[in-house]
Amino acid sequence: MLAFLIRRISQSIVVLLVMSVLVFGGVFCIGNPVDILIAPDATPAERDRAIKELGLDKPLPEQYMRFLKDAVQGDLGNSFVYNEPALKLIMQRMPATMELAVTAMLMAVFFGIPLGMIAGIKSDTLLGRSIMRFSILGFSLPTFWVGLMFIIIFSVYLGWLPSGGRGETVELLGVPVSFLSWDGIRHLILPAMNLALFKTSLAIRLSRAGVQENIQMDYVKFARAKGLTNTRIIGLHVMKNIMIPVITVLGMEFGGLIAFAVVTETIFSWPGMGKLVIDSIGVLDRPVIVAYLLITVTMFIIINLIVDIIYSILDPRVRLGDQN
Amino acid sequence: MRQKLLIVLAVMACFAFGATMAHAEKLTLGLKGEPTSLDPHFHNVSANNMQSLYVFDKLVRQDNRQKLQPGLALSWNPVSDKVWEFKLREGVKFHDGSPFTAEDVKFTIERIPNVPNSPSSFTGFVSNIQKIDIVDPTTIRFTTEAPAPLLPRQMAAFPIISKKNAEGAATEDFNSGKACIGTGPYMLVKWDRGDKITYKRNDNYWGEKMPWEEIVVRPITNDGTRVAALKSGDVDMINFVPPADVDGLAENKKLTLSESPSTRLIYLHLDTARDDSPTVSGNNGEKIKNPLKDFRVRKAISKAINRRAIAGRIMDGLAVPASQMVPDGYEGTSKRLKPEAYDIKGAKALLADAGYPEGFKLVIHGPNDRYVNDADIAQAIAQMLTKIGIKTEVNTMPKSVYFGRASKLEFSFMLVGWATDTGEQSNCIGALLHTYDKEKGFGSSNRGRYSNPDLDATLEEALVTVDPAKHNELIIKATEMGIGDLGIIPIHYQVNVWGSKKGLAYNGRTDGYTLPREIKVTK
């Protein structure tokens, strides 16, 4: 286990380094932030001053080396437009995104897995088929369209829920969260539902396939012959076996949920990191874009690691140390 | 039983009354952009400049047509050619109760060039001031290097901060609210990044009394979401209603709309300098001498553009065909310039006369995420030009890529926009039509490299002519020269639309700002 961890961490560092080169180079290629940031009627002297202050007058390799030197010390640079550390800006926005992503994930797990199991057990009934139809919709409807529909139906037409924003937040261990106040929860429901839709469908499909596969296995037949109740067979034995692929896939998807909640955050003006990075791309705020992408990569690495560990706990046949 | 019912009704009435009272006290605005900072001197962009007016005042105010009005200064007069004297308002207090004096003005002007890491500073507005003399606490004199007719305009470009609270303060101190202390109608309560900015009324304000105790500004970038927030009643008012939604909202009985032309001019910039221009070629793709250098070709292009059709169909009526660089009624606009009439025959004749009866090939470049319907306008213009024989191809891209390439002169024919925040025409002439001159700071956005020595001389003379009438005359002359030569081809001014719930009225501003002091409660 320890050897596995050490190997994984050293691999991760290489991945991060390669990513930083790619991201830095890529962002550099998009365009020059100077043309967007500086007022078009600024005099050339002012322009030059701003370019120098932002460090954009240096050649790319020099800018990169400076970035790398600071990054090792935990400083990912200052945002051009906010004049505050990029890392701090992202961290300020992270709780909002995490809250949204976790809520969406919980929704997907709590609705998706039971629904998928029902669809698997009763695949020939109307209920089973309806669940599958729903999951097809969840897969194929574009997120932004569904989001707008939610707003039109639940906010504009019915007036039940607010159309966007984060609502009232309560400090929990110094982190502002919205799920502890009624106003906050009301603001959370629609965006979380919007974000959860795709993942719920995914969970439905995965658990349905898992159930259908497992139900025909010998151990189920054996359990039936032994006289175990159906609830116990499905709820314990089958459930345990279908959880392995579901957890692997959803774990991977969770990273995506955090990193790419952009669309939902934009539609619901949810003040998370996704919205920050979209705004930053718009004005080519290089330090924020680079920091965001690197944090995302780190997050994926960590999530993968956790998934692997959970996997080995669920299925003792998998031994982490054996991977070579 | 009856008594009980009465009590219940009375209680309910109290609640209902209380609710409406509370409602009248709070105003929620859904605005398109979020400021990047609450430091009023950090980043010269309109989202920041507008937001700073909630908390701060300027020496000189701009009304909703950007004419100058007294602000913290009651009057301003030139004492001599190079000296301006400003009389300040008495009895004005900052939010913390300290008095506003000439010291604060001096401190502000001295701070502006020294704001660290400012991506786009306000230095240009104060760089010609050589010396600041405080005559007495309410009188201040500015000595400039050269005669400065635009000084009062420049004083209308940045807010005054408090010396006591902002001395040594960094941009972060403004964002946190520590140094964000002004003389304005509202005090900053809290800025929740990305979510909302909360303000509380300043009850000691020297100016108009505001009806709302609290104002919450929510940045909602997405157009659809902003409109939905208004429709669902989450916000009381929104700005920049997208053209496609205007009809739908106008039919909604619970809402009112108001519109105002803006100073945002959409125009075409053409390469008039190089013989070998990058995206112009002959009909078979062969290299030709740049036809855009020929005045007749430019005139033909201008005639071929049906500005009315663009305003009506592509902009859904939310555009005004343009004749010059700022809309009619502004200082320094020419009454002789009119929007070019749509005339295909004339255009074709001019092309033939210039030696291009069969036309040529051209690529029109434009952004697709910067101006209202920018990519569609480019498409429409391309079709219109194709009609007179100029085979036009459209290439649009995100603004983050576009402007850099445009400034590197990679394009021959481009769609661009310009908005003057200062409310007068000299800054557009200086940036767009004056010969590119890095030393003197002219022509910084002259991406067609149009050059006319007479225009240069006229503008430079205007910039040192303090007498307002003479100054205006020279500006008008320079405008007529540049537009007459078609150094740029004006298309239209955008029209801004605000939407609000019934009971609120907004006159609209040409600079597109949404200011509480101009929102009226109608019932």
Side-chain angles (χ1 to χ4, degrees):
Chain A
M1 179 85 171
L2 188 69
F4 165 77
L5 275 180
I6 293 171
R7 199 167 51 239
R8 275 295 279 273
I9 290 170
S10 50
Q11 280 167 359
S12 307
I13 292 172
V14 177
V15 170
L16 270 176
L17 210 63
V18 173
M19 259 308 278
S20 73
V21 176
L22 287 177
V23 168
F24 211 84
V27 170
F28 198 84
C29 285
I30 301 176
N32 195 346
V34 169
D35 297 301
I36 294 176
L37 287 175
I38 300 178
D41 48 351
T43 61
E46 264 179 78
R47 267 176 75 91
D48 289 346
R49 193 188 71 118
I51 291 171
K52 221 170 150 200
E53 278 198 0
L54 298 175
L56 293 169
D57 52 338
K58 308 255 177 359
L60 178 63
E62 202 184 322
Q63 284 186 37
Y64 177 72
M65 285 321 286
R66 216 167 69 181
F67 163 78
L68 206 60
K69 220 178 93 201
D70 292 342
V72 173
Q73 296 159 359
D75 173 11
L76 292 178
N78 259 22
S79 153
F80 293 160
V81 291
Y82 298 103
N83 194 27
E84 284 182 40
L87 199 60
K88 181 183 146 198
L89 285 168
I90 295 171
M91 287 305 166
Q92 261 179 0
R93 303 282 191 101
M94 202 181 238
T97 300
M98 287 299 264
E99 186 174 37
L100 190 61
V102 170
T103 314
M105 209 57 193
L106 291 178
M107 280 183 176
V109 169
F110 280 113
F111 294 114
I113 296 177
L115 284 177
M117 289 174 76
I118 295 170
I121 300 160
K122 310 193 167 186
S123 54
D124 292 332
T125 64
L126 181 68
L127 180 66
R129 280 200 299 270
S130 312
I131 293 174
M132 290 320 286
R133 298 251 157 78
F134 165 80
S135 83
I136 291 172
L137 276 185
F139 266 124
S140 44
L141 294 177
T143 313
F144 74 90
W145 185 84
V146 175
L148 286 174
M149 282 300 132
F150 279 176
I151 293 179
I152 290 172
I153 296 168
F154 294 106
S155 311
V156 177
Y157 190 67
L158 295 171
W160 290 349
L161 294 165
S163 61
R166 202 176 171 203
E168 195 185 321
T169 54
V170 177
E171 297 253 324
L172 179 71
L173 305 173
V175 180
V177 293
S178 41
F179 66 87
L180 289 178
S181 72
W182 175 232
D183 184 54
I185 293 174
R186 289 186 61 223
H187 281 84
L188 188 60
I189 295 173
L190 286 186
M193 260 168 56
N194 184 221
L195 200 58
L197 194 61
F198 186 87
K199 309 296 166 201
T200 311
S201 305
L202 193 67
I204 289 177
R205 307 223 126 206
L206 285 171
S207 31
R208 175 180 179 260
V211 167
Q212 286 186 329
E213 196 187 313
N214 276 287
I215 260 180
Q216 295 166 21
M217 297 259 221
D218 287 344
Y219 77 92
V220 174
K221 288 179 188 155
F222 182 68
R224 285 232 168 88
K226 241 173 84 180
L228 291 183
T229 60
N230 216 9
T231 337
R232 193 170 163 80
I233 297 171
I234 304 281
L236 188 76
H237 299 283
V238 173
M239 176 91 163
K240 225 177 173 179
N241 280 303
I242 64 165
M243 283 308 268
I244 293 171
V246 173
I247 285 199
T248 320
V249 175
L250 287 187
M252 304 283 294
E253 293 284 326
F254 183 62
L257 216 52
I258 298 170
F260 309 115
V262 180
V263 177
T264 300
E265 287 184 3
T266 314
I267 292 174
F268 289 93
S269 48
W270 186 263
M273 324 187 276
K275 201 159 161 290
L276 174 73
V277 82
I278 282 292
D279 293 345
S280 300
I281 290 172
V283 292
L284 285 181
D285 193 351
R286 285 182 190 163
V288 177
I289 306 173
V290 171
Y292 176 83
L293 288 171
L294 290 181
I295 289 174
T296 310
V297 173
T298 315
M299 213 157 56
F300 270 97
I301 291 172
I302 294 172
I303 290 171
N304 271 337
L305 191 65
I306 295 172
V307 166
D308 280 348
I309 293 170
I310 295 180
Y311 201 94
S312 78
I313 294 169
L314 276 175
D315 187 349
R317 283 171 300 176
V318 179
R319 281 206 195 88
L320 295 174
D322 288 350
Q323 297 174 348
N324 209 332
Chain B
M1 181 70 199
R2 215 169 148 179
Q3 218 172 1
K4 244 186 195 166
L5 198 70
L6 268 176
I7 293 172
V8 170
L9 278 177
V11 170
M12 274 172 69
C14 281
F15 271 115
F17 184 65
T20 49
M21 278 298 284
H23 210 71
E25 300 271 307
K26 183 175 164 185
L27 178 73
T28 310
L29 302 173
L31 304 183
K32 182 163 182 153
E34 183 177 19
T36 58
S37 165
L38 294 182
D39 179 343
H41 307 139
F42 173 66
H43 195 179
N44 183 10
V45 288
S46 67
N48 290 29
N49 294 345
M50 174 187 89
Q51 213 67 65
S52 67
L53 285 176
Y54 285 51
V55 174
F56 300 95
D57 283 306
K58 295 170 175 175
L59 278 191
V60 181
R61 253 188 199 180
Q62 294 181 2
D63 73 1
N64 68 346
R65 290 291 172 271
Q66 296 188 260
K67 291 222 162 59
L68 299 185
Q69 311 256 305
L72 285 177
L74 286 171
S75 63
W76 46 90
N77 288 298
V79 179
S80 70
D81 239 15
K82 294 183 181 178
V83 179
W84 280 88
E85 185 177 274
F86 280 66
K87 278 275 178 208
L88 306 180
R89 201 177 282 276
E90 274 177 68
V92 175
K93 289 207 162 32
F94 282 101
H95 295 159
D96 65 338
S98 57
F100 155 75
T101 67
E103 284 290 345
D104 299 304
V105 178
K106 184 164 189 263
F107 170 76
T108 299
I109 291 171
E110 283 165 357
R111 176 181 191 254
I112 284 175
N114 300 314
V115 180
N117 297 326
S118 164
S120 165
S121 84
F122 293 76
T123 313
F125 299 117
V126 297
S127 53
N128 53 354
I129 297 175
Q130 222 168 25
K131 203 155 74 87
I132 305 169
D133 295 300
I134 297 176
V135 182
D136 62 57
T138 58
T139 313
I140 191 164
R141 282 187 182 181
F142 303 109
T143 311
T144 54
E145 279 168 46
L150 294 175
L151 195 82
R153 278 269 165 214
Q154 289 162 344
M155 290 296 157
F158 57 86
I160 302 298
I161 57 174
S162 140
K163 182 179 179 188
K164 184 184 147 208
N165 293 293
E167 202 148 34
T171 299
E172 277 155 335
D173 296 321
F174 283 89
N175 295 344
S176 72
K178 207 177 107 197
C180 198
I181 289 168
T183 57
Y186 281 91
M187 304 188 238
L188 177 70
V189 176
K190 196 164 171 257
W191 181 18
D192 297 301
R193 279 262 165 89
D195 192 29
K196 57 181 181 286
I197 312 177
T198 315
Y199 299 97
K200 191 175 78 189
R201 182 169 60 201
N202 169 17
D203 285 318
N204 299 318
Y205 189 49
W206 56 268
E208 314 81 335
K209 265 273 159 291
M210 301 289 152
W212 306 280
E213 187 133 303
E214 189 185 46
I215 291 188
V216 175
V217 173
R218 280 183 44 199
I220 309 179
T221 346
N222 185 281
D223 284 343
T225 314
R226 204 163 57 252
V227 171
L230 176 70
K231 278 180 165 174
S232 66
D234 286 349
V235 299
D236 300 321
M237 186 171 164
I238 61 169
N239 64 356
F240 298 111
V241 174
D245 281 311
V246 167
D247 286 342
L249 291 181
E251 283 166 19
N252 192 325
K253 293 204 170 58
K254 285 188 226 150
L255 306 174
T256 35
L257 293 180
S258 54
E259 52 178 71
S260 160
S262 77
T263 48
R264 171 86 61 203
L265 166 74
I266 302 297
Y267 66 93
L268 295 170
H269 223 141
L270 336 76
D271 181 359
T272 56
R274 290 172 289 185
D275 277 339
D276 178 15
S277 199
T279 63
V280 184
S281 63
N283 280 327
N284 304 315
E286 75 277 14
K287 278 226 168 311
I288 51 167
K289 184 175 173 271
N290 178 10
L292 300 173
K293 284 182 83 172
D294 190 322
F295 172 75
R296 291 167 295 185
V297 174
R298 299 203 293 271
K299 192 78 178 166
I301 290 173
S302 186
K303 278 182 183 296
I305 296 170
N306 189 346
R307 291 173 177 76
R308 277 234 190 106
I310 293 177
R313 272 175 245 145
I314 292 172
M315 299 294 291
D316 294 292
L318 295 176
V320 179
S323 61
Q324 48 201 307
M325 311 173 90
V326 293
D328 287 344
Y330 265 73
E331 285 168 34
T333 48
S334 161
K335 295 212 165 48
R336 280 182 289 271
L337 290 172
K338 293 277 173 273
E340 188 89 57
Y342 177 53
D343 173 13
I344 287 210
K345 252 195 201 153
K348 277 188 178 155
L350 274 166
L351 267 190
D353 192 32
Y356 302 97
E358 303 297 318
F360 51 89
K361 272 190 178 166
L362 183 68
V363 183
I364 171 168
H365 284 92
N368 53 24
D369 58 353
R370 178 66 188 90
Y371 313 112
V372 179
N373 299 337
D374 39 16
D376 298 335
I377 300 169
Q379 283 290 354
I381 290 174
Q383 283 172 22
M384 290 166 183
L385 295 187
T386 306
K387 260 193 199 162
I388 61 163
I390 303 176
K391 287 137 217 93
T392 314
E393 202 185 297
V394 179
N395 189 348
T396 60
M397 55 196 84
K399 61 174 187 282
S400 45
V401 178
Y402 175 74
F403 286 104
R405 293 185 59 191
S407 293
K408 275 192 224 143
L409 307 185
E410 285 181 27
F411 309 140
S412 305
F413 193 76
M414 57 212 121
L415 181 85
V416 213
W418 183 270
T420 168
D421 285 335
T422 53
E424 51 83 51
Q425 200 148 239
S426 75
N427 97 315
C428 358
I429 304 171
L432 301 183
L433 290 173
H434 190 290
T435 308
Y436 179 73
D437 186 338
K438 209 174 168 203
E439 296 299 304
K440 284 195 204 159
F442 283 118
S444 54
S445 294
N446 184 348
R447 298 183 174 113
R449 294 291 187 263
Y450 166 78
S451 171
N452 177 350
D454 290 340
L455 180 144
D456 298 353
T458 315
L459 176 71
E460 281 169 45
E461 194 190 333
L463 291 179
V464 292
T465 307
V466 177
D467 178 73
K470 262 193 215 149
H471 169 83
N472 249 352
E473 210 174 285
L474 287 165
I475 292 290
I476 292 173
K477 205 172 137 200
T479 309
E480 284 171 356
M481 280 185 213
I483 299 290
D485 269 353
L486 291 172
I488 62 163
I489 300 179
I491 308 288
H492 61 243
Y493 310 109
Q494 286 180 11
V495 171
N496 291 333
V497 184
W498 285 263
S500 63
K501 61 169 193 190
K502 273 259 163 0
L504 292 177
Y506 194 65
N507 222 343
R509 289 179 60 91
T510 41
D511 54 15
Y513 290 0
T514 309
L515 297 181
R517 68 165 191 253
E518 284 168 29
I519 304 172
K520 299 280 175 280
V521 179
T522 52
K523 60 172 186 200

